[in-house]
Every structure is written in C-alpha cells, then in structure tokens.
C-alpha cells in the first residue's frame, strides 16, 4: 500500500494507492491542495480513480468536484449525501475496489446524516465520526447525537482494537490513533450510557465553523467559494505593480485608464490622481458608455485588490483585452505614501 497523509491546518486528507496496479483513491481532499495531491500522485506513479468525501463538510471547502472534473473520475459519497454531483453513492458495507485494495463503506450517521467511515486492511478513515480525543459535533445541519452514539458504540468501536484511526480532522498534529487508544483515552467515549452521551453532545457549546454557510453551500451544491472565484480571476488577469502605476502617474502618462471600481463615496474620499470611477456593481451596465474604446489599456483598482481582480477578469471577458489589475489596492497605495486626489 502507498499511503500519504496531507494536512491543511487541522484538515486531513489521504491518498491511498495500490503499488501493484498504480491505482489510487483520494479521501477528503481540500480545495487549496489540488496541485499538491496531483504532484504526490505523479511522484508515486499513481492514477487517481476515485475522489471521496466521507461526509458533507461544513468547515472547509471540498476539492472532490474540482478534481473529478479535472481527472474525469467519479465523486464518491454516501447514498444520503445531498450533493447533486456525487457520481457513485455507497451504501453500508459496499466495497470500493482500487487495484488490489478494498475499501469498505460503513454508514456512520451522527455528525451528519451522510457520514461514512472507510475500512481498509489495518486502518479506518473515520471522517468526523471519530476524532483523536474527540468526536464529530452534532449541532450542525443533519447532526444527531443519538445516531452518533449508535455509530460509535454499536459500530466502529466494536471493530478490531488495533485498527489505526485516521480522521478527517486533527488539530494537534497527532497523525493517527487506534480504536483501543480512543476507547481508553478519548474523554467523550467515557460517557458509555446513551442518555449521558447525548446530554454531553447537546451541551458542548462549540463555536460555529468560520466558513459554515459558504462551506455548506459549496459542498452541498458544487458551487464555488469566493476564494475560488478570486483565484480563477487571478489566473486570467495580468497585474501592474504599485510602483509602476505611481511612476506612470508621476510622469503624466496618458496611455492608460485607471479605473477605480469602489463605490462613489470611497472614491471621493481619496483616489489615484486622474482615475475614473465605475463601481463594480455597475460595470456591465455602464461599460459601453464609460469605456467606448476597447483597445485602451486599463488598470483596475479597489480598496484591497480583490474586487478589482474580478472586475479586470470581467472586462477581459467583455473584450477589453488590455485590462490589468493593480497588484494591491488603495490601502497599500495610501500606506506607501503615494499621491491622492479627493473630490471637490
């Protein structure tokens, strides 16, 4: 077996391959690590045949759909997953063949209704059902403490105590555990009576994940996060440095349009000398009147350089092919002490 664990903050992903056949599966991939997963697979001579989410994640952005489209492989989830893009839906005890390896799906609802664990030889990938020193929370959409109790005490905790436990999250960089170690040391598993366990889970008083709404939206629908939209826009857009724009402004250059896409009040409070204002929200509606010559060179800017990147990508899609975005924003321009104009 070829095995690689990839940590992204507290999130854990797993690339598991069959050395005999060079077949592999990727479990719980995170969107920021797409290139890393592909590089590891290439390094080890593996071809990824499946990308799997053990459940609908609420605290990070899954890369399953992105990788599935790129690699032309199926997204694998449990049968109860709400994600419309899941291609292969597993039921309890289904086997997934990856070369000579066999991964068995175990339906373990509780953290979410679609949670499943994956049993493979000497190890189990527990998603958020069983963590090292903890369990998945049950206060998020489709969570159920009673179901989690059954999944744990009538399910995976009855498996071979020597099984290695690899969860989808590990915030203390411990890497792995075993069923035996969790039974002995996991404080949540010491509440072995159903009522006591449920009461504990209902009173954990945990903070909501930082990106809860956005993560659930993207992971359930296959939509894109704001970060993805920005990253994609940045790949389609060249940039101009602060110092280069300043030099052109100081030299009185007339060969480019500086387009400030902030709202009017922010523009009036201070802008790059000579800039024109076209708020991002009005861009598509006013672009033909405001920018009649599509051959002009344009540099977009905003407060922090994000909205202007989206605006530049949009303008290029509209045919303004000489559009760039300022690498930075008015905040960086002001901090550098570069010249400002104010309205009135």
């Amino acid at each position: 077996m070829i095995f690689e664990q990839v940590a992204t903050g507290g999130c854990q992903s797993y690339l598991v391959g069959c050395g005999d056949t060079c077949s592999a599966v990727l479990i719980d991939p995170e969107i920021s690590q797409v290139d890393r997963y592909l590089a590891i697979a290439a390094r080890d001579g593996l071809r990824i045949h499946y990308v799997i989410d053990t459940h609908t994640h609420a605290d990070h952005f899954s890369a399953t759909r992105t990788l599935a489209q790129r690699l032309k492989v199926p997204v694998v989830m449990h049968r109860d997953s709400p994600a419309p893009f899941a291609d292969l839906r597993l039921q309890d005890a289904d086997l997934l063949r990856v070369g000579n390896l066999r991964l068995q799906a175990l339906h373990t609802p509780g953290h979410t209704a679609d949670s499943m664990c994956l049993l493979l030889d000497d190890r189990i990938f527990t998603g958020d059902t069983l963590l090292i020193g903890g369990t998945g929370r049950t206060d998020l959409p489709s969570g159920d403490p009673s179901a989690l109790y059954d999944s744990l005490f009538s399910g995976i905790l009855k498996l071979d105590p020597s099984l290695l436990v690899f969860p989808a999250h590990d915030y203390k960089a411990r890497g792995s555990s075993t069923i035996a170690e969790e039974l002995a040391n996991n404080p949540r598993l010491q509440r072995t009576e159903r009522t006591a366990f449920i009461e504990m889970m209902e009173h954990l008083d945990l903070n909501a994940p930082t990106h809860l709404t956005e993560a659930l939206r993207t992971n359930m629908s296959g939509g894109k996060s704001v970060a993805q939209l920005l990253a994609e826009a940045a790949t389609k857009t060249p940039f101009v440095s602060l110092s280069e724009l300043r030099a052109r402004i100081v030299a009185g250059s007339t060969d480019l349009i500086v387009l400030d896409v902030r709202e009017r009040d922010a523009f009036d409070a201070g802008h790059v000398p000579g800039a024109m204002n076209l708020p991002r929200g009005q861009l598509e509606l006013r672009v033909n009147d405001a920018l009649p010559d599509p051959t002009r060179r344009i540099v977009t800017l905003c407060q922090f350089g994000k909205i202007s990147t989206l605006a530049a990508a949009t303008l290029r899609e509209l045919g303004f092919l000489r559009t760039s975005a300022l690498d930075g924003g008015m905040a960086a321009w002001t901090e550098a002490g570069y010249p400002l104009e104010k309205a009135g």
Side-chain angles (χ1 to χ4, degrees), residues 39-291:
I40 293 171
R43 180 199 67 193
D44 293 337
L46 297 172
R47 182 180 183 278
I48 297 172
H49 286 261
Y50 302 102
V51 286
I52 305 176
D53 270 331
T54 55
H55 61 288
T56 301
H57 297 285
D59 52 359
H60 72 267
F61 303 104
S62 170
T64 51
R65 193 181 190 198
T66 297
L67 284 162
Q69 291 174 339
R70 199 153 160 183
L71 298 172
K72 294 181 171 47
V73 300
V75 172
V76 180
M77 298 188 75
H78 184 262
R79 177 175 57 87
D80 292 339
S81 169
F85 54 85
D87 304 295
L88 181 57
R89 296 175 179 271
L90 302 181
Q91 301 180 81
D92 187 61
D94 279 350
L95 289 176
L96 198 63
R97 300 197 306 180
V98 183
N100 296 326
L101 303 178
R102 300 291 185 271
L103 285 86
Q104 184 178 21
L106 305 175
H107 187 207
T108 53
H111 173 60
T112 62
D114 65 338
S115 289
M116 65 177 179
C117 297
L118 297 168
L119 185 61
L120 172 64
D121 296 337
D122 65 343
R123 62 199 63 199
I124 183 169
F125 301 96
T126 55
D128 280 7
T129 299
L130 176 62
L131 307 177
I132 300 174
T135 65
R137 60 196 297 167
T138 58
D139 59 334
L140 299 180
S142 80
D144 182 341
S146 180
L148 181 62
Y149 179 88
D150 289 333
S151 294
L152 290 168
F153 290 99
S154 299
I156 60 177
L157 296 178
K158 290 184 175 296
L159 297 173
D160 184 345
S162 67
L163 276 176
L164 295 169
V165 172
F166 289 100
H169 291 90
D170 174 20
Y171 297 100
K172 297 183 179 179
R174 290 162 292 193
S176 66
S177 180
T178 65
I179 296 289
E181 289 170 348
E182 294 309 306
L183 282 168
N185 303 317
N186 190 322
R188 292 192 191 175
L189 301 185
Q190 307 316 305
R191 305 289 184 95
T192 58
E193 198 275 326
R194 177 187 293 273
T195 302
F197 180 85
I198 292 173
E199 182 179 5
M200 172 190 66
M201 295 303 298
E202 289 179 339
H203 294 87
L204 291 178
D205 194 25
L206 300 172
N207 293 326
T210 304
H211 303 290
L212 172 63
T213 301
E214 189 179 18
L216 284 175
R217 171 180 61 78
T218 59
N219 294 335
M220 291 176 68
S221 69
K224 295 179 180 180
S225 67
V226 173
Q228 281 179 275
L229 289 176
L230 286 168
E232 290 175 5
T235 65
K236 304 173 185 176
T237 305
F239 292 84
V240 172
S241 69
L242 291 167
S243 59
E244 175 65 21
L245 181 59
R246 175 184 178 277
R248 288 175 178 269
I249 297 298
V250 171
S253 176
T254 59
D255 69 340
L256 82 163
I257 297 171
V258 179
L259 187 67
D260 192 320
V261 298
R262 296 176 296 161
E263 294 300 315
R264 186 74 199 187
D265 56 349
F267 177 82
D268 289 346
H271 54 265
V272 170
M276 66 177 291
N277 180 228
L278 179 54
R280 175 64 187 89
Q282 302 174 29
L283 184 62
E284 289 86 350
L285 297 178
R286 292 178 50 195
V287 67
N288 293 327
D289 294 330
L291 302 169

